[in-house]
Each structure stands twice: as C-alpha cells, then as structure tokens.
Amino acid sequence: TTKKERKGKKMKKSYRNIFGLIVLALFLSGCVTNPPVKSSWSGDTMIENEYFSATILPTNKRFKLTVKNKTKSDLVINWNKTLFIESGQTAGGFMIEGTLYTERNNPKLSDVVFPESVFEKTIWPNSLVSYEGGKYGRGYIHGLIVGQDVGVYLTVSVDGVEISERIVGSMSYEYVK
C-alpha cells in the first residue's frame, strides 16, 4: 500500500474513534440523572360547601385543581387572591398552565365556572419557581412542593359573595432505588 492509502485509513480510523467517543459521552451524560423520587401526600385533598366543591391532586411540583360549581350562578375563581400555602402561611400566588415564566407574577384574569359544571386547571406555586443558569443552559425550573401545611388557599365569588377555603396537607419524598 502507498503512503497516501495508509494515511487515508488512519484518518478513517481516527474519525471512527472520535465518533465512538461522542456516542459514549452522550450515553453517559444521559445516564447521569437525578434519582427518582416517590412523593407522599397526607392531609386534605377536598373541601366542600353549599356553593362548590374543590379538590387538589398534588404532585411533586404542581397541583391539579378541580372545582365543581354546585349553584345555578356563575362561580368566579379569583387567581389574584388564590394563594399557595407553605408552612401554614400564604406564600404568593400560582403560575397557571399556559402562563409565560416571566409573566407568572403579573395580575391574572379570573376564570368562570359555569352553573353546575366542572373546571380543571394545573397550577404551580410561584414561590417555588427559580431561574438557574449554568454551563449547559439557562432556564426557569419548578422546585418540589415539600413540607407540612402546604396547599391551596382558593378564593371564589358567587353572586357577589366572596368565599375563601383552604386545602392543606403534608408532602414528603423518598428516593426510589
């Protein structure tokens, strides 16, 4: 074989080695993840009064809120007065599904639950959203809902009467092997 052919074979082998290293690096970086956690909620998940019933389905970082209007009038959810409860105290409002991160603290429009109907929305506590930047990217992340006396302080109005109710419990985590 000629010198030129040997050089060409060496280049192909070098490219294969580099490609192999890239694939290995991507595989290993994909394997380095946070360990999975199992969340455990204890406490209330529902409140009920003569006007409405409300349930929360807590997950690691958010609540799925369901409100059932029991009246023959519109029920208005006031998002500016609906607050996250942390350690038994209100700790800011919620980021509502579909809201831009940068606009999460802006005043929010109310939602209307029509007579005798059901409304669902996913909400994230604003106080648990943070901006993180680093070598590999920047962005907003949602922190875990954790601790005792955490939940939702829901404020609605029906026929001009404002009603506020608390749904609270405790959230804990354990790492899954």
Side-chain angles (χ1 to χ4, degrees), residues 2-159:
T2 66
K3 191 175 184 182
K4 195 174 188 179
E5 289 173 333
R6 281 188 302 239
K7 189 175 182 184
K9 285 182 182 180
K10 276 187 176 180
M11 291 288 283
K12 284 182 182 179
K13 191 174 182 180
S14 294
Y15 285 127
R16 268 192 235 129
N17 288 342
I18 291 171
F19 179 76
L21 287 173
I22 290 171
V23 169
L24 180 63
L26 290 172
F27 174 76
L28 290 176
S29 68
C31 293
V32 180
T33 61
N34 293 328
V37 294
K38 178 183 173 192
S39 61
S40 176
W41 175 266
S42 62
D44 296 332
T45 56
M46 181 179 160
I47 55 98
E48 189 166 3
N49 59 40
E50 63 186 280
Y51 302 102
F52 68 95
S53 63
T55 60
I56 58 170
L57 176 62
T59 63
N60 295 354
K61 300 178 181 186
R62 64 186 178 263
F63 297 101
K64 180 179 177 185
L65 175 68
T66 304
V67 178
K68 180 180 180 187
N69 183 352
K70 295 166 38 174
T71 73
K72 298 206 182 289
S73 301
D74 289 346
L75 182 136
V76 179
I77 300 173
N78 185 336
W79 290 113
N80 297 309
K81 291 185 176 181
T82 295
L83 305 170
F84 174 55
I85 299 171
E86 185 174 35
S87 300
Q89 301 291 317
T90 58
F94 287 97
M95 182 176 158
I96 299 168
E97 160 177 62
T99 303
L100 296 174
Y101 282 102
T102 54
E103 296 176 2
R104 71 187 183 282
N105 291 314
N106 292 353
K108 295 161 185 65
L109 296 175
S110 297
D111 275 312
V112 176
V113 185
F114 296 116
E116 300 176 338
S117 66
V118 177
F119 171 89
E120 289 184 349
K121 196 160 264 196
T122 302
I123 55 178
W124 292 263
N126 280 342
S127 63
L128 299 181
V129 178
S130 61
Y131 181 82
E132 292 196 6
K135 184 176 180 181
Y136 300 106
R138 296 173 180 81
Y140 289 92
I141 62 161
H142 297 280
L144 294 175
I145 297 170
V146 66
Q148 295 188 7
D149 294 323
V150 295
V152 177
Y153 183 72
L154 177 63
T155 302
V156 303
S157 61
V158 180
D159 293 330

